[in-house]
């Protein structure tokens, strides 16, 4: 090896050695935990009988991620311990992305599994508070409190006395009963459910408005998740669904806020032979993303028809936006106070 090359090797070696020693001398990076971490709410209103999720409520204020969140010290209103809030309940956990293009309920359910989680839960690295679907046999409606501890290797903070307002079930939406008292609301406050209507007239061609149609939800069984739609005139006689002559029954969709797209309304449509009712199989909840976040994800359907009115074709519709959270078979009944006209003038 020439005398010129040897010093070059030595220079490289010494440089590497010095760099290594320098790195050892540097202080190790430490997690940063901000004193200003915060939640934007300290009260959580939830309903028994559905999954309730409060998302995006935590501000980490540039703290080093990931942060770890835990729930501690659940208490009843009188200050006594409330271990029932940690009762393990079966909870749907999504394992694969729901696209809205699934062709069956089995295909939807293949993307989620049941896992036992504490009824009052928190997502360990986001701080999203979850109250899973449970019933009043183990947890009673009322006011509770709990603490949330958030930490990383740089520090921690305890948020004390978060308020949990557990209310009675709301098995469907819109819901016409007060979820604290169980008493039907005043009509002006939603105690009677009315659909959206457009283009409806009676036999004298008077306009039929929304408040002339009442909507009722009735649970009829627990073995299967279905919805059945029925219509009745002012004399409580069935209105045949065949009169809704512009319905495209096999192309019904609703718009999802969560996936920002259209989703096939439901599955396995069954029309009664006399067309007095139509039924669909549905996932639970319905729509299936109704309980994954804080948005008001709902399904919608419009029953449409047209007729010729004094030489002009007139379009009409009866529409409903709704959600069903309690498992089982449900009838959704439209009852007219004034019978609509379906025939031509």
């Amino acid at each position: 090896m020439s005398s010129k090359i040897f010093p070059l090797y030595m220079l490289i070696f010494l440089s590497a050695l010095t760099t290594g020693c320098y790195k050892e001398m540097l202080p190790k990076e430490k997690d940063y935990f901000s004193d200003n971490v915060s939640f934007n709410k300290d009260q959580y209103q939830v309903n028994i009988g559905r999954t309730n999720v409060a998302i995006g409520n935590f501000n980490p204020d540039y703290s080093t991620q990931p942060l770890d969140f835990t729930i501690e010290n659940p208490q009843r209103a009188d200050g006594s311990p409330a271990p029932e809030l940690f009762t393990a309940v079966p909870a749907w956990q999504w394992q694969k992305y729901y696209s809205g293009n699934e062709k069956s309920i089995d295909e939807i359910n293949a993307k989620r599994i049941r896992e036992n989680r504490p009824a009052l839960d928190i997502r360990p690295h986001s701080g999203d508070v979850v109250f899973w679907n449970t019933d009043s046999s183990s947890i009673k409606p009322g006011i509770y409190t709990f603490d949330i501890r958030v930490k990383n290797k740089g520090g921690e903070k305890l948020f004390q006395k978060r308020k949990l307002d557990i209310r009675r079930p709301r098995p469907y939406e819109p819901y016409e009963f007060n979820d604290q008292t169980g008493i039907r609301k005043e009509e002006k406050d939603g105690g009677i459910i009315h659909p959206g209507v457009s283009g409806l007239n009676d036999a004298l061609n008077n306009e039929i408005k929304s408040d002339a149609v009442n909507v009722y939800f009735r649970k009829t069984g627990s073995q299967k998740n279905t919805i059945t739609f029925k219509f009745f005139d002012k004399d409580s006689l069935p209105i045949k669904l065949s009169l809704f002559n512009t319905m495209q029954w096999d192309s019904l969709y609703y718009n999802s806020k969560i996936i920002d797209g259209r989703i096939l309304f439901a599955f396995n449509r069954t029309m009664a032979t006399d067309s007095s009712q139509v039924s669909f199989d549905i996932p639970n909840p319905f729509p299936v993303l109704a309980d994954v976040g804080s948005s008001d994800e709902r399904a919608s359907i419009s029953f449409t028809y047209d007729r010729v009115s004094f030489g002009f074709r007139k379009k009409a519709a009866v529409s409903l936006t709704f959600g069903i959270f309690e498992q089982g078979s449900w009838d959704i009944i439209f009852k007219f106070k004034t019978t609509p006209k379906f025939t031509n003038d």
Side-chain angles (χ1 to χ4, degrees), residues 266-300:
F267 305 97
N268 304 326
R269 176 177 61 87
T270 303
M271 184 73 73
T273 53
D274 62 356
S275 93
S276 61
Q277 63 182 47
V278 61
S279 300
F280 299 86
D281 291 342
I282 56 173
N284 179 256
F286 181 73
V288 73
L289 298 181
D291 62 4
V292 301
S294 300
S295 72
D296 55 343
E297 178 85 350
R298 298 290 182 263
S300 59

Side-chain angles (χ1 to χ4, degrees), residues 218-227 327-331:
R218 297 288 183 267
K219 188 174 180 179
T220 61
S222 302
Q223 299 304 309
K224 194 175 181 182
N225 295 317
T226 64
I227 46 174
Q327 296 190 62
S329 297
W330 290 86
D331 283 356

Side-chain angles (χ1 to χ4, degrees), residues 36-207:
N36 296 320
V37 296
S38 61
F39 286 89
N40 64 14
K41 65 189 300 183
D42 58 11
Q43 299 185 25
Y44 300 86
Q45 181 180 307
V46 301
N47 289 96
I48 287 173
R50 66 171 70 180
T51 296
N52 307 257
V53 185
I55 63 174
N57 295 305
F58 182 74
N59 175 19
D61 191 45
Y62 304 106
S63 297
T64 305
Q65 304 284 346
L67 291 161
D68 297 316
F69 296 82
T70 53
I71 287 178
E72 303 176 2
N73 194 30
Q75 294 182 343
R76 305 185 189 102
D78 62 3
S80 61
E84 63 269 25
L85 293 183
F86 289 156
T87 301
V89 297
W92 281 118
Q93 305 288 308
W94 288 95
Q95 303 293 301
K96 296 180 180 178
Y97 173 72
Y98 172 76
S99 68
N101 296 319
E102 291 76 11
K103 303 301 182 186
S104 69
I105 294 173
D106 286 343
E107 189 177 342
I108 292 172
N109 288 339
K111 295 186 172 184
R112 54 185 185 166
I113 61 172
R114 289 277 199 185
E115 287 184 345
N116 284 336
R117 298 294 307 169
L120 177 61
D121 201 1
I122 193 165
R123 290 177 174 153
H125 301 304
S126 70
D128 297 342
V129 175
V130 185
F131 186 78
W132 296 107
N133 187 342
T134 185
D135 60 58
S136 58
S137 64
S138 55
I139 300 176
K140 304 300 181 185
I143 302 298
Y144 299 78
T145 63
F146 62 97
D147 302 338
I148 300 176
R149 187 180 299 278
V150 55
K151 64 181 181 180
N152 62 16
K153 292 180 181 178
E156 65 178 63
K157 187 173 182 178
L158 183 66
F159 294 85
Q160 294 180 294
K161 297 297 182 182
R162 308 291 97 178
K163 181 179 176 181
L164 182 67
D165 180 1
I166 302 179
R167 300 193 173 190
R168 294 166 180 255
R170 295 174 64 94
Y172 51 85
E173 299 285 357
Y175 191 57
E176 65 270 43
F177 296 89
N178 184 297
D179 60 8
Q180 291 178 291
T181 65
I183 298 172
R184 182 187 288 273
K185 301 174 187 175
E186 297 291 331
E187 181 172 359
K188 63 182 177 61
D189 298 321
I192 296 179
I193 303 169
H194 301 296
V197 301
S198 64
L200 270 67
N201 295 92
D202 63 15
L204 299 177
N205 276 322
N206 296 312
E207 180 185 5

